[in-house]
Amino acid sequence: WKLENTHVEMKAGSVHLDLLDVTIPEGETAIYIEVKAGDAHIRLPEGVAVDVVGSVKMGDCRVLGQHTSGGGSLVHRSEDYDEAERKLRVRVEVKFGDCHVKQI
């Protein structure tokens, strides 16, 4: 399936978003995930430029090899993001729970 700008909001529970087998269109595609109480697990494909911000108020946050515990934000931006033909802008906000963003 072809990925489009996406906004997912979860009040309680977990969000699992696997983008490994999607078609990413040219240009920038925005993904916004908001979880009030629960976890967010995002899998991004290798070879695609990404601009990711993961934020947790209370819990653990792991974004592409970075880790913070107890709350905080992590930022990762591919070096070639501005020039990339296809790119993903990902924002993940978790109030109470964990945030995990991987590129596989």
Side-chain angles (χ1 to χ4, degrees):
W1 55 280
K2 185 177 176 182
L3 184 64
E4 297 178 354
N5 291 334
T6 303
H7 183 155
V8 176
E9 186 176 337
M10 178 72 65
K11 292 189 191 285
S14 295
V15 173
H16 295 268
L17 184 61
D18 186 339
L19 300 179
L20 299 184
D21 294 322
V22 302
T23 301
I24 298 172
E26 289 187 16
E28 183 179 70
T29 303
I31 308 293
Y32 181 72
I33 309 291
E34 182 180 1
V35 178
K36 303 281 187 207
D39 301 330
H41 300 272
I42 317 299
R43 291 174 29 147
L44 306 173
E46 284 283 343
V48 175
V50 295
D51 179 358
V52 180
V53 176
S55 175
V56 174
K57 197 164 213 168
M58 182 174 275
D60 291 338
C61 188
R62 296 178 187 274
V63 172
L64 304 173
Q66 302 175 69
H67 176 253
T68 186
S69 187
S73 296
L74 296 172
V75 177
H76 175 88
R77 184 177 174 101
S78 300
E79 289 182 22
D80 65 339
Y81 189 82
D82 290 330
E83 301 82 27
E85 206 171 285
R86 290 173 169 79
K87 47 192 163 189
L88 295 173
R89 182 169 41 95
V90 180
R91 302 295 181 261
V92 183
E93 291 185 26
V94 178
K95 300 279 189 237
F96 302 102
D98 299 332
C99 166
H100 299 276
V101 181
K102 297 180 185 179
Q103 198 167 24
I104 299 172

